[in-house]
Amino acid sequence: MADENPFPGENNTGHFWDDNIRELRNPPPRWWMIAFWLSIAWWVLYGLLYPMWPTPPWKLEQTEQQHTRGMLGWTSIQEYKQGMEQVEQVRGQYEERIAQLSADEILADPGLLQYTIASSKVVFGDYCAACHGSGGQGNPGYPVLADNDWLWGGSLGKITETITGGRKGNMIGHQNILSEQEVDTLAQFAVDLSEGREASDEAWTLFNNKGCSGCHGPDATGVLGTLPTGDVITVGAANLTDRLWRFRPGGFESAKHTILYGVNQSGVEQTRDAVMPKFGGAGSAEGRLDENQIKKLAVYVHELGGGL
Ligand code: HEC
Ligand code: HEC
């Protein structure tokens, strides 16, 4: 720093470096100053209108309020509540229409269908996903819902029945009914059909004579008959002719196990457990879903399976 100002008359501060680099007293541009003062004014104004200033510590004991209220009286919780009210209003309109319409009619209404699917996803996640998987993809022991292979029928009516009343497949164990040889033949029969091969005549004869066809249907597809409405009659018996195995891992040993010990047989330790709980009506163990929820879930599951 020089002792004397080498640039007399200039509005510098008297600070110099390297002889001629110096600090001037030029004011900031006007636009900048305006913005600066406006921002301060904005800050003060905002602080008056909205909750902002913390309550001084010595006042905290007399008031629960941790900050000033603001002249507008705005609070985030109030805004949230108003928002929720609006959402509920919109939902209420949809729910009212759903209550009045049948599941078929909902399916035919694109706007309503969209709402139904979106709102059912949550319910499905809460009540169904633990067993059937979050997208209905199934779990070991729990059937896939996201395909077009149904034990009990995939029409809206049948699905509603399933959710409302629950289902419990029933297949007797054959360990005391069939010889080991016959069990092997029938397990191979199930494997052959599922892999698209012709089963032997001997196996078909056993299938018919040992009562299997009484539940699995004459052609082993699990369907006993079809009504004029297109609905199927089943007792929940698995389709043995497709590649899907109801009980994993599937294949020869798995089929043999099912044939030997059956499904839901009380007193048979190794039997397959297959109980779909009841979600509707009185006396349901889990009777937590109302009619609208069941209706919407039926539509949702129907759409997962891509219709019948
Ligand atoms: C505790 C486990 C469990 C829960 C929870 C559960 N399910 Fe199931 N569900 C099953 C089982 C097991 C079956 C197969 C029943 C059988 O084998 O006869 C089944 C069968 C079904 C079927 C029939 C599938 C077919 O192929 O015909 C539908 C539809 C279904 N469930 C929908 C639902 C919906 C919707 C929910 C939620 C509200 C739900 N399930 C909750 C275990 C469950
Ligand atoms: C009383 C009815 C009934 C009879 C009789 C019956 N089944 Fe079943 N079977 C079922 C039901 C119901 C299921 C599926 C259970 C479920 O998913 O809840 C099943 C499942 C099976 C499975 C498992 C399929 C898979 O995908 O994992 C095989 C294999 C099978 N049955 C073979 C037979 C054979 C062979 C016979 C004759 C010896 C027979 N069943 C007799 C009702 C019956």
Side-chain angles (χ1 to χ4, degrees):
M1 230 205 282
D3 287 337
E4 272 178 40
N5 194 334
F7 300 96
E10 190 185 59
N11 64 341
N12 61 44
T13 58
H15 298 162
F16 298 94
W17 296 270
D18 292 345
D19 294 341
N20 61 355
I21 296 177
R22 67 262 191 214
E23 185 178 29
L24 301 185
R25 290 184 200 276
N26 287 341
R30 177 165 284 262
W31 67 263
W32 193 93
M33 286 311 290
I34 292 174
F36 175 70
W37 288 113
L38 275 182
S39 69
I40 290 178
W42 167 253
W43 174 64
V44 172
L45 191 69
Y46 189 93
L48 290 174
L49 294 179
Y50 288 96
M52 177 171 177
W53 310 102
T55 307
W58 60 90
K59 290 245 172 135
L60 268 178
E61 279 188 6
Q62 302 147 34
T63 169
E64 291 206 339
Q65 195 78 19
Q66 307 244 335
H67 51 75
T68 52
R69 282 177 196 278
M71 283 153 71
L72 292 183
W74 178 92
T75 66
S76 52
I77 192 78
Q78 206 181 348
E79 186 173 84
Y80 165 77
K81 279 184 186 156
Q82 280 169 354
M84 282 309 288
E85 258 170 48
Q86 283 173 353
V87 171
E88 288 303 331
Q89 254 179 0
V90 174
R91 275 192 198 154
Q93 289 169 356
Y94 279 122
E95 292 293 335
E96 235 168 76
R97 276 176 62 209
I98 286 172
Q100 287 159 0
L101 298 179
S102 71
D104 285 289
E105 287 166 326
I106 295 170
L107 200 59
D109 180 330
L112 212 48
L113 181 61
Q114 207 180 8
Y115 167 79
T116 298
I117 289 176
S119 64
S120 300
K121 259 187 201 151
V122 181
V123 186
F124 191 87
D126 287 348
Y127 291 95
C128 323
C131 291
H132 291 290
S134 57
Q137 74 276 24
N139 272 317
Y142 303 102
V144 179
L145 301 180
D147 63 13
N148 223 345
D149 185 63
W150 302 94
L151 296 161
W152 301 95
S155 67
L156 283 168
K158 291 281 181 186
I159 296 173
T160 307
E161 232 176 77
T162 301
I163 302 172
T164 309
R167 297 288 194 187
K168 191 171 178 190
N170 177 45
M171 168 167 160
I172 45 169
H174 293 79
Q175 80 267 42
N176 300 324
I177 300 175
L178 300 175
S179 71
E180 230 172 86
Q181 169 81 52
E182 287 168 329
V183 171
D184 282 356
T185 305
L186 285 166
Q188 190 56 47
F189 167 84
V191 171
D192 284 342
L193 291 185
S194 107
E195 289 175 0
R197 282 190 296 271
E198 277 296 318
S200 63
D201 286 346
E202 180 205 353
W204 275 111
T205 310
L206 267 181
F207 180 77
N208 285 315
N209 290 350
K210 299 296 178 179
C212 316
S213 57
C215 293
H216 286 278
D219 50 6
T221 56
V223 175
L224 297 178
T226 307
L227 298 173
T229 56
D231 252 345
V232 292
I233 306 169
T234 84
V235 292
N239 181 350
L240 301 180
T241 66
D242 60 15
R243 288 185 162 274
L244 300 167
W245 289 93
R246 167 67 182 85
F247 299 108
R248 296 184 194 170
F252 183 77
E253 290 301 329
S254 189
K256 208 168 138 176
H257 186 105
T258 310
I259 296 169
L260 282 174
Y261 307 111
V263 178
N264 290 327
Q265 296 303 294
S266 57
V268 182
E269 207 181 305
Q270 286 146 297
T271 194
R272 304 280 196 189
D273 289 317
V275 180
M276 159 74 191
K278 169 178 159 84
F279 283 93
S284 53
E286 333 227 356
R288 289 170 296 198
L289 298 179
D290 60 34
E291 248 177 71
N292 263 25
Q293 284 175 311
I294 291 180
K295 208 185 276 185
K296 289 194 297 181
L297 274 176
V299 172
Y300 177 70
V301 170
H302 184 268
E303 289 307 282
L304 281 181
L308 190 63

